[in-house]
Amino acid sequence: MPELLSESSPVARKLHRCGTCTGVIEAGQRYVRASLVHDGRVYDWVTCQACDDDAVTNRVCLWAHSWDEGATPEMAHEWATEAVIHGSQIDQRVAKDFLERWGTYPRITVTAG
Ligand SMILES: [Zn+2]
C-alpha cells in the first residue's frame, strides 16, 4: 500500500495533469501534491482540487477493493462510468463531474511562460 510521506496544496506555476481524472490543472489553480513511497520507490502524485474534494481515490479503492494498489486513472474512469448510472446520488454527482474533467488535458494549448 502506498505510504504517504507528505502532502501539500501548492498553487500551480505551470500546467499539470491530474493523476486521477487526467484533467488539466492550470497555472494559478490550487492542487494537491502528495509524496508517496511504494515498493521502495518515492514519487509525487498530483491531484486536482476537485478530485481531492470529492475523495475520488477513496471511492475508487472502495469500489475496486484496491487499497493495496491505490487507484489508477483507468480504474477511476471505469468506476465513474459505472457510478454515474448505478451509484448513489452523491456518487452519481461525483462521477459526472469526474467524467467532465476526464480527458480535458490534451485539448488545452500550452503556451510558453
Ligand atoms: Zn482530477
Side-chain angles (χ1 to χ4, degrees), residues 18 20-23 47-48 51 101:
C18 175
T20 302
C21 71
T22 73
T47 312
C48 72
C51 280
R101 294 192 299 278

Side-chain angles (χ1 to χ4, degrees), residues 52-66:
D52 190 66
D53 288 347
D54 287 343
V56 171
T57 301
N58 286 358
R59 292 175 198 278
V60 173
C61 288
L62 198 63
W63 170 80
H65 305 286
S66 63

